[in-house]
């Protein structure tokens, strides 16, 4: 995968603008930011709203794991030696720990569909 010569990021080929001279090896985001191309010209650009939507989809996808680790840490730090709540919360946490991977597995296809919907439609022209 090529590297953008302005921001040094590595992207797939379709994330680069076409052209010679100053437009060579420039990614679509740098091209739009430096005014080399307009936003309408680059179909593969991830707009800000698109990027935000993708980020929140990712956050929704992985937040159960984050909550699980936060709850386990809270249990270890605060509830470890509080009788009888340590046992009850330990059972609840164990149940959550068993259910969360299943939940994530069953919702993975929905997440992939959401990410596919948030991926810009772009067909690489022949010769590029
Ligand atoms: Zn760039």
């Amino acid at each position: 995968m090529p590297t953008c010569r302005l921001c040094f990021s590595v992207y797939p080929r379709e994330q680069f603008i076409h052209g010679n001279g100053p437009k060579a090896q420039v990614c679509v985001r740098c091209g739009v930011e430096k005014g080399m191309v307009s936003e309408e010209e680059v179909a593969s650009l991830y707009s800000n709203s698109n990027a935000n939507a993708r980020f929140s989809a990712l956050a929704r996808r992985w937040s159960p794991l984050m909550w699980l680790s936060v709850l386990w840490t809270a249990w270890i730090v605060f509830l470890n030696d509080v009788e009888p709540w340590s046992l009850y919360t330990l059972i609840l946490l164990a149940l959550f720990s068993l259910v969360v991977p299943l939940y994530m597995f069953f919702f993975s296809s929905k997440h992939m569909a959401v990410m596919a919907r948030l991926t810009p439609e772009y067909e690489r022209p022949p010769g590029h």
Side-chain angles (χ1 to χ4, degrees):
M1 286 198 285
T3 308
C4 173
R5 66 181 176 82
L6 296 178
C7 65
F8 305 111
S9 301
V10 178
Y11 295 118
R13 190 67 240 174
E14 56 264 22
Q15 288 296 315
F16 283 79
I17 62 173
H18 305 301
N20 298 320
K23 288 186 174 182
Q25 294 291 93
V26 175
C27 70
V28 288
R29 179 155 298 274
C30 290
V32 169
E33 280 172 4
K34 301 269 192 278
M36 296 174 188
V37 286
S38 69
E39 223 170 286
E40 293 77 39
E41 282 177 78
V42 280
S44 59
L45 175 76
Y46 288 82
S47 63
N48 276 339
S49 65
N50 199 338
N52 287 340
R54 286 176 72 89
F55 182 75
S56 70
L58 267 183
R60 270 199 304 278
R61 170 84 177 129
W62 295 105
S63 65
L65 280 187
M66 192 272 298
W67 278 111
L68 207 57
S69 57
V70 165
L71 289 175
W72 271 111
T73 308
W75 187 85
I76 289 167
V77 171
F78 300 115
L79 282 173
N80 199 4
D81 47 3
V82 182
E83 291 299 334
W85 295 107
S86 62
L87 183 65
Y88 301 157
T89 49
L90 180 66
I91 291 168
L92 268 181
L93 269 177
L95 279 178
F96 280 142
S97 302
L98 291 174
V99 167
V100 159
L102 280 177
Y103 170 84
M104 291 185 72
F105 175 74
F106 284 119
F107 280 86
S108 63
S109 54
K110 188 189 172 198
H111 172 73
M112 283 193 284
V114 167
M115 289 309 258
R117 185 172 55 80
L118 292 173
T119 303
E121 292 286 332
Y122 177 73
E123 227 171 271
R124 190 190 292 190
H128 286 281

